[in-house]
Amino acid sequence: MTTAPTGEPRWLSDEEQSVWRAYLHATTLMEDHLDRQLQRDAGMPHIYYGLLVQLSQAPRRRKRMTELAKDAKITRSRLSHAVARLEKSGWVRREDCPSDKRGQNAVLTDDGYEMLRRSAPGHVDAVRQAMFDRLTPEQVRSLGEIMQVVAAGLQPEGTDADLPWLR
Amino acid sequence: MTTAPTGEPRWLSDEEQSVWRAYLHATTLMEDHLDRQLQRDAGMPHIYYGLLVQLSQAPRRRKRMTELAKDAKITRSRLSHAVARLEKSGWVRREDCPSDKRGQNAVLTDDGYEMLRRSAPGHVDAVRQAMFDRLTPEQVRSLGEIMQVVAAGLQPEGTDADLPWLR
DNA sequence: GACCTTTTCTTGAAAGTTGAACTAGATAGA
DNA sequence: TCTATCTAGTTCAACTTTCAAGAAAAGGTC
């Protein structure tokens, strides 16, 4: 899905420009906010924390590397580096996949789980303060719908696998 | 404004969790999408493009480093590196500030302006396809309000300077 | 089995980011 | 003036991300 600039560009309206600026502004500040909070309280960036959360919710607290990368929306390369770092910190360890000798499982360690348990309340609090405590229930509902639409539109092709009628 | 974890954590409701996941998912995909689009069509990451846009809209197409950093919501350090890179590419040049010998202006070059003019349509198109073409006018309006609220809540302290009654 | 393609994951180098330390110039007070 | 403090911007080292390249195993197909 390339962005072929056709004949005449359709510029954004004044309102759209303003909304777009607000979107960029808010998402930038939010990401900075959470990165700083987690760096301070858990010693890692937001994305790494997200990896641990994914693992904590997986059966037996482990996941194949590729699956973890897909769920966290990062490349396998990036995940390799990230897991190496988390392994050094002791929150995660690697384990050979029994059924596929190419495969690796990332496993959340007990220390990792404990760290997560300790820092979760502070993180939820940060998310709440930054977003949910400021929005009306109606706005929360609306935001959910909007984000669903946007995410669906940007879903990488691979996800077409979930749409059998396209195959 | 630290996030002191008080006695009992107030967890997110099911709906809030789902909205939060959708938010993270959508914003991650959006940022990836725009980074890729601009890397391909303009040879730079999204944030660098944003710096050039800021400069193009400033009087005489120039801005003090600190002001540019503040407007783009990045640190002065990051801006130093970014401008060094953009200078090497020829899109920006530095210029001593006449009134303050410590100061530097970042100036958008003619080449930089031309590059912006060429790549703007494709970029607007990407934004449109990813967001505005998928939302109803009502949703666009709502998104704008929500992002305003969130951004306002995360505004760094410095911006209190704009609120005289707090001084 | 031999051959080719695909999938899984890692590696290394280049590019980008961060936070702290640092230089130079501005500012304010005694 | 002299001094202390603050501000503007850069630089360094440590860390993270990206992209291209590569090793190893799996899955066809003949």
Side-chain angles (χ1 to χ4, degrees):
Chain A
M1 191 191 294
T2 48
T3 313
T6 57
E8 47 255 64
R10 296 155 55 223
W11 301 110
L12 298 182
S13 71
D14 284 356
E15 192 201 10
E16 286 168 335
Q17 276 187 50
S18 142
V19 170
W20 183 239
R21 264 197 302 273
Y23 171 87
L24 290 178
H25 189 173
T27 54
T28 302
L29 290 176
M30 179 69 88
E31 187 58 19
D32 284 4
H33 179 63
L34 296 182
D35 260 343
R36 244 180 278 283
Q37 186 263 318
L38 284 169
Q39 194 70 58
R40 173 164 53 78
D41 297 345
M44 67 185 75
H46 187 202
I47 183 88
Y48 287 33
Y49 186 87
L51 294 175
L52 299 188
V53 171
Q54 294 268 358
L55 289 180
S56 77
Q57 293 169 345
R60 305 188 56 229
R61 290 183 196 156
R62 69 198 61 205
K63 239 177 193 175
R64 281 289 292 271
M65 293 291 280
T66 294
E67 195 188 353
L68 183 52
K70 187 149 58 76
D71 295 349
K73 277 94 199 168
I74 63 177
T75 61
R76 286 197 302 279
S77 168
R78 187 174 174 184
L79 180 61
S80 264
H81 290 296
V83 167
R85 202 282 223 172
L86 291 170
E87 211 169 13
K88 216 179 292 180
S89 306
W91 311 136
V92 166
R93 66 187 157 77
R94 286 178 222 243
E95 152 189 290
D96 290 344
C97 176
S99 58
D100 185 337
K101 283 182 184 166
R102 295 168 305 179
Q104 295 276 147
N105 282 321
V107 187
L108 185 64
T109 63
D110 289 347
D111 282 359
Y113 187 78
E114 185 52 28
M115 190 279 290
L116 218 45
R117 204 187 56 68
R118 274 198 314 274
S119 48
H123 181 59
V124 172
D125 222 56
V127 170
R128 212 174 243 310
Q129 283 187 19
M131 174 162 284
F132 294 106
D133 284 355
R134 299 182 185 277
L135 299 178
T136 67
E138 178 57 23
Q139 285 178 316
V140 171
R141 203 191 49 67
S142 174
L143 179 62
E145 278 175 13
I146 292 168
M147 293 293 123
Q148 293 281 357
V149 171
V150 171
L154 290 170
Q155 209 68 238
E157 334 268 316
T159 316
D160 288 356
D162 296 332
L163 312 173
W165 58 87
L166 281 182
R167 282 190 269 182
Chain B
M1 192 192 293
T2 49
T3 313
T6 57
E8 47 255 68
R10 295 157 54 223
W11 301 110
L12 298 183
S13 71
D14 285 355
E15 191 199 10
E16 286 168 336
Q17 277 187 47
S18 141
V19 170
W20 182 238
R21 264 196 302 272
Y23 171 87
L24 290 179
H25 189 173
T27 53
T28 302
L29 291 175
M30 178 70 88
E31 186 58 18
D32 285 3
H33 178 64
L34 296 182
D35 260 343
R36 242 179 277 284
Q37 185 264 319
L38 284 168
Q39 194 70 57
R40 173 164 53 78
D41 297 346
M44 68 184 76
H46 187 203
I47 183 86
Y48 286 33
Y49 186 86
L51 294 175
L52 299 188
V53 171
Q54 292 268 357
L55 287 180
S56 77
Q57 293 169 344
R60 305 189 56 230
R61 293 185 194 156
R62 67 198 63 206
K63 241 178 191 175
R64 280 293 288 271
M65 294 292 278
T66 295
E67 195 188 352
L68 182 52
K70 187 149 56 78
D71 294 350
K73 278 93 196 169
I74 63 177
T75 61
R76 288 198 302 281
S77 168
R78 189 174 174 183
L79 181 61
S80 266
H81 292 294
V83 167
R85 201 292 219 162
L86 291 170
E87 210 169 13
K88 216 179 293 180
S89 307
W91 311 135
V92 165
R93 66 186 157 76
R94 285 177 222 244
E95 148 188 293
D96 289 345
C97 175
S99 58
D100 185 336
K101 283 182 185 167
R102 296 167 304 179
Q104 295 270 276
N105 282 321
V107 187
L108 185 64
T109 63
D110 289 346
D111 282 357
Y113 188 78
E114 184 52 28
M115 190 278 293
L116 218 44
R117 204 186 56 66
R118 274 198 316 272
S119 48
H123 181 59
V124 172
D125 223 53
V127 170
R128 209 174 246 308
Q129 283 188 19
M131 174 161 284
F132 293 107
D133 284 355
R134 301 183 183 277
L135 300 178
T136 67
E138 179 56 26
Q139 284 179 318
V140 170
R141 204 191 49 66
S142 175
L143 179 62
E145 279 176 13
I146 292 169
M147 292 294 124
Q148 293 281 357
V149 170
V150 171
L154 290 170
Q155 208 68 240
E157 333 269 316
T159 315
D160 290 356
D162 297 331
L163 312 171
W165 57 87
L166 282 181
R167 282 188 273 186

